[in-house]
Amino acid sequence: VSPYRVDVTLFAATMQGDGAAESICQALEQICNRSDEFDLIVIVRGGGSATDLGCFDDYATASMVAQMPLAVVSGIGHDKDTSIVDMVSAVALKTPTAVAQWIVARIAEQDERLAAALRSLLAVLQRTFSDSAVRLAEFQALVVQGSRRRCDAERLRCDHLRQRLEAAVGERIAYAQQQCKHYAAVVEAFSLERILASGFAVARCKTKLLR
């Protein structure tokens, strides 16, 4: 029993006797008109005498089999003799059962290739993800390290600017204090009390100032 599903389309043809070769060619022509629907052509029949299988030595039949757009597998059911159709087929097997077993084996091989390709793809993806995780961790470490260096540098810069600002403000305050003292001295020098203390007087006649 095959674990695979195989879709089979039957193109009936006479497989022995008069008109068999023409009937086979007509079936092959029908397949040619629908070749894009199929993957493989199978020509099978049970065993028989050499006379019964003579249609498979027909030139027209063999020529058409050789020119089919799809691979042809023959399983004509004779163990001793080989027909011309067998010779021009892509694969020649002895019985229809052997053909069925061959098809199942080819599907199994393809299935295994697909499974192997999937395993290989998963392994590549796993390595890629692992490498990406490592690179991401390294990048994260570089970002953290760079951020710390930048923060330290900015902190030093802020400290330097604060020191400069404090010094500038201190100098400005000291200059302002000095200016205030200077102006206070000027005001004091020209104050009325100092002028009067120098011997000057304010003369008034009654309430009127004398100039």
Side-chain angles (χ1 to χ4, degrees):
V1 179
S2 170
Y4 306 104
R5 172 182 172 178
V6 179
D7 293 328
V8 178
T9 300
L10 176 63
F11 292 85
T14 302
M15 304 300 281
Q16 70 179 53
D18 295 338
E22 182 179 357
S23 178
I24 294 171
C25 288
Q26 290 175 354
L28 292 175
E29 185 175 357
Q30 293 176 18
I31 296 172
C32 282
N33 295 332
R34 299 172 54 187
S35 60
D36 57 341
E37 302 177 24
F38 309 109
D39 300 311
L40 188 69
I41 301 171
V42 174
I43 301 176
V44 293
R45 65 148 288 166
S49 65
T51 303
D52 294 337
L53 303 177
C55 58
F56 297 104
D57 290 326
D58 179 74
Y59 173 80
T61 303
S63 176
M64 195 162 188
V65 168
Q67 299 178 68
M68 292 300 290
L70 300 173
V72 177
V73 179
S74 65
I76 299 175
H78 52 94
D79 294 331
K80 297 180 180 180
D81 299 325
T82 299
S83 67
I84 298 176
V85 167
D86 288 328
M87 295 179 183
V88 297
S89 296
V91 178
L93 301 168
K94 295 301 182 181
T95 63
T97 300
V99 171
Q101 292 172 344
W102 181 87
I103 292 174
V104 171
R106 299 294 78 73
I107 296 175
E109 290 177 359
Q110 185 65 21
D111 191 24
E112 176 56 30
R113 280 195 290 269
L114 290 174
L118 178 59
R119 290 192 296 269
S120 177
L121 177 61
L122 291 175
V124 170
L125 290 175
Q126 186 175 5
R127 288 196 301 270
T128 301
F129 289 149
S130 179
D131 294 342
S132 297
V134 172
R135 287 195 296 270
L136 182 60
E138 293 175 350
F139 180 72
Q140 183 179 7
L142 289 175
V143 169
V144 171
Q145 185 179 5
S147 299
R148 288 176 179 173
R149 286 199 301 266
R150 185 58 182 269
C151 290
D152 292 340
E154 290 299 321
R155 188 179 297 109
L156 291 174
R157 181 171 174 271
C158 289
D159 292 341
H160 177 66
L161 291 176
R162 184 176 62 253
Q163 292 172 0
R164 289 181 59 188
L165 180 60
E166 290 175 351
V169 170
E171 291 175 358
R172 187 67 178 177
I173 292 174
Y175 176 75
Q177 289 175 342
Q178 185 179 2
Q179 290 292 99
C180 288
K181 291 179 181 180
H182 173 71
Y183 293 140
V186 173
V187 171
E188 183 181 357
F190 290 96
S191 67
L192 181 59
E193 291 79 4
R194 189 175 184 83
I195 294 173
L196 294 176
S198 300
F200 292 90
V202 178
R204 297 177 185 275
C205 181
K206 297 182 180 180
T207 60
K208 186 177 180 180
L209 181 66
L210 296 178
R211 296 181 180 276

